[in-house]
Amino acid sequence: MGFVTSAAPSLPDVSSLAIGILGGSGPQGGGLAVRFALAGHRVLVGSRSAERGRDAAAKLSGAGRLVEGGDNADVAEQADVVIVAVPWEGHGELLADLRKQLAGKIVIDCVNPMGFDKGGAFALPVEEGSAAQQAAAVLPDSTVVGAFHHVSAVLLMDESVASIDTDILVVGDDRPATDTVIALANRIPGMRGIYAGKLRNAGQVEALTANLISVNRRYKAHAGLRVTDV
């Protein structure tokens, strides 16, 4: 059963934005790098060293797409919009080190603070309330938006999958910034960005990833989300 599409607000033209990805050597960041490069964006992936960033970019480049690499500071400096897809451990420290380079930019945080035990995945408590709120706390000169938490890294990296059939919940306090991120999500075939509230709502969005991991394990799937009647 499909979803009903109502009139959507006009969104900005984001086709010329250069997208930096911190954590582009990981599956989630790498998958987003591939999809945005296929959509025609200049994509830069960062790592702690320029050499590792260039190596990651070389692995992600291919027919119809070009991905550049460098160290995190250079990528943060050059990109118009930066996606944070690093492991939760060290998340705050890394962003604090890049405060200068990220000043004045939209920072999209897709980090999910999670732990794993015999019972499966579970959400970790975060002092600030969520990874996105932690990012906002250490990046007061940036505009932080939470998004891309629930998209399957396996599907992103699988180029035989032409359409990523999922909605992207977008949370943030600045409406022009959330509109920009919604427009970016819409650039990837099959994806649809959906405004899902203020940044204070990021905690439950991040935590929902643990439920989707349980769905995937039970049903041997790569589950995503669809919002109905929108």
Side-chain angles (χ1 to χ4, degrees):
M1 187 172 180
F3 56 87
V4 178
T5 302
S6 59
S10 59
L11 296 172
D13 180 3
V14 296
S15 59
S16 64
L17 292 182
I19 301 173
I21 301 180
L22 308 180
S25 59
Q28 181 102 359
L32 288 170
V34 167
R35 294 293 169 168
F36 279 119
L38 285 171
H41 288 272
R42 181 189 180 203
V43 176
L44 307 98
V45 296
S47 186
R48 291 192 179 275
S49 73
E51 183 178 4
R52 287 187 61 187
R54 288 191 293 267
D55 287 346
K59 293 175 183 177
L60 296 169
S61 294
R65 65 182 189 272
L66 174 63
V67 180
E68 303 170 46
D71 64 35
N72 287 324
D74 285 342
V75 166
E77 184 75 42
Q78 293 183 47
D80 298 313
V81 174
V82 175
I83 297 174
V84 183
V86 299
W88 168 237
E89 298 78 12
H91 169 269
E93 181 181 358
L94 170 66
L95 294 182
D97 288 342
L98 297 174
R99 174 176 172 175
K100 178 180 177 181
Q101 291 87 349
L102 293 172
K105 300 187 179 188
I106 295 174
V107 176
I108 305 169
D109 201 300
C110 66
V111 174
N112 299 307
M114 285 190 302
F116 296 86
D117 60 17
K118 292 182 179 179
F122 60 94
L124 294 174
V126 179
E127 181 179 354
E128 295 86 354
S130 65
Q133 287 170 291
Q134 184 187 83
V138 300
L139 298 173
D141 304 314
S142 304
T143 303
V144 175
V145 175
F148 299 110
H149 298 93
H150 306 135
V151 59
S152 166
V154 173
L155 295 182
L156 287 172
M157 290 295 291
D158 186 350
E159 292 184 64
S160 70
V161 178
S163 178
I164 306 296
D165 186 27
T166 192
D167 285 339
I168 301 298
L169 299 183
V170 179
V171 294
D173 296 336
D174 183 281
R175 187 56 61 88
T178 56
D179 283 351
T180 295
V181 177
I182 289 169
L184 283 171
N186 293 351
R187 296 276 295 165
I188 298 176
M191 276 192 193
R192 183 180 63 155
I194 297 288
Y195 175 74
K198 299 290 189 179
L199 202 65
R200 66 186 181 185
N201 293 325
Q204 59 262 36
V205 173
E206 295 169 8
L208 185 58
T209 305
N211 299 89
L212 288 176
I213 289 173
S214 297
V215 170
N216 289 335
R217 288 183 172 178
R218 173 65 178 81
Y219 296 98
K220 302 186 188 315
H222 302 294
L225 296 176
R226 278 298 190 196
V227 178
T228 61
D229 200 34
V230 174

